[in-house]
Amino acid sequence: MRPIPRTAPNAGVAAAPGAIYLAISPIPATPDAPMRLRTGILLAAAALLCGCLGKSTSSPSPVTRYEIGTARESQFMPEVPRLLSRLSFVVQRTDETPSLIRWVTQTRRRPVLDDETGVQEAELNLVIVARKGRSSPRGDIFNMELQVESLVRIHPDSAWTAVRPTPMYNRYMDRFVQEFRTIFDTGEHLLR
């Protein structure tokens, strides 16, 4: 459709001096207009169908990320392994670059929660990531992130898969997240 200039918005109303009002009129018919219309409808339907399918068939991500605070390297290097040990996690490896430090834990079993229907076994793996955020005269400040991978098995012989978090799982994970935030989210440690 293309705009056509008019002198007034509707009949019987005087136009303001120098104003141009626009009305919409259909595009004149051309030999390929029906083909363009069909192509446009098909493309719109395909885009809608792809969008719906992608959303409804996507599986949940096994990894959930939590921002847990900030710290200097001298503060989090001893604190992260100590806290993981207190939570009964064993550090499998530590990856270090000048701007990133990651602690990856060994996978450990966790209890199957009452609202996880049909689940036979469950496991957790934690990754703590410290990314360099900004420089400071007293030491670089790192942003701390906790990544939690949770997988379950429906049958002892089935593969480990991710499921959507349940309310009881979220409460279970809040304990871990709160442990880290208690140390790194207050900001008081940056004053030391």
Side-chain angles (χ1 to χ4, degrees), residues 152-169:
V152 299
R153 267 195 223 192
I154 306 303
H155 186 272
D157 297 330
S158 66
W160 290 98
T161 59
V163 293
R164 298 203 189 291
T166 64
M168 287 183 76
Y169 171 80

Side-chain angles (χ1 to χ4, degrees), residues 68 76-94 102-106 108 125-129 145-148 175-176 179-180 183-184:
I68 54 175
F76 66 72
M77 285 303 279
E79 205 60 48
V80 169
R82 188 178 310 133
L83 182 54
L84 288 171
S85 177
R86 192 170 77 218
L87 295 172
S88 302
F89 283 91
V90 176
V91 176
Q92 182 177 9
R93 74 174 195 274
T94 304
R102 289 174 24 131
W103 292 265
V104 180
T105 66
Q106 291 179 353
R108 118 175 173 195
N125 184 27
L126 302 183
V127 176
I128 292 79
V129 179
E145 179 182 76
L146 171 64
Q147 300 173 359
V148 180
R175 176 182 147 236
F176 293 102
E179 289 282 340
F180 283 95
I183 294 172
F184 299 117

Side-chain angles (χ1 to χ4, degrees), residues 49-104:
L49 184 61
C50 288
C52 291
L53 288 177
K55 187 149 183 114
S56 65
T57 61
S58 65
S59 60
S61 171
V63 178
T64 306
R65 291 173 166 74
Y66 302 92
E67 296 298 322
I68 54 175
T70 58
R72 288 191 179 89
E73 186 173 359
S74 61
Q75 295 159 333
F76 66 72
M77 285 303 279
E79 205 60 48
V80 169
R82 188 178 310 133
L83 182 54
L84 288 171
S85 177
R86 192 170 77 218
L87 295 172
S88 302
F89 283 91
V90 176
V91 176
Q92 182 177 9
R93 74 174 195 274
T94 304
D95 305 325
E96 292 186 48
T97 69
S99 61
L100 180 100
I101 302 172
R102 289 174 24 131
W103 292 265
V104 180

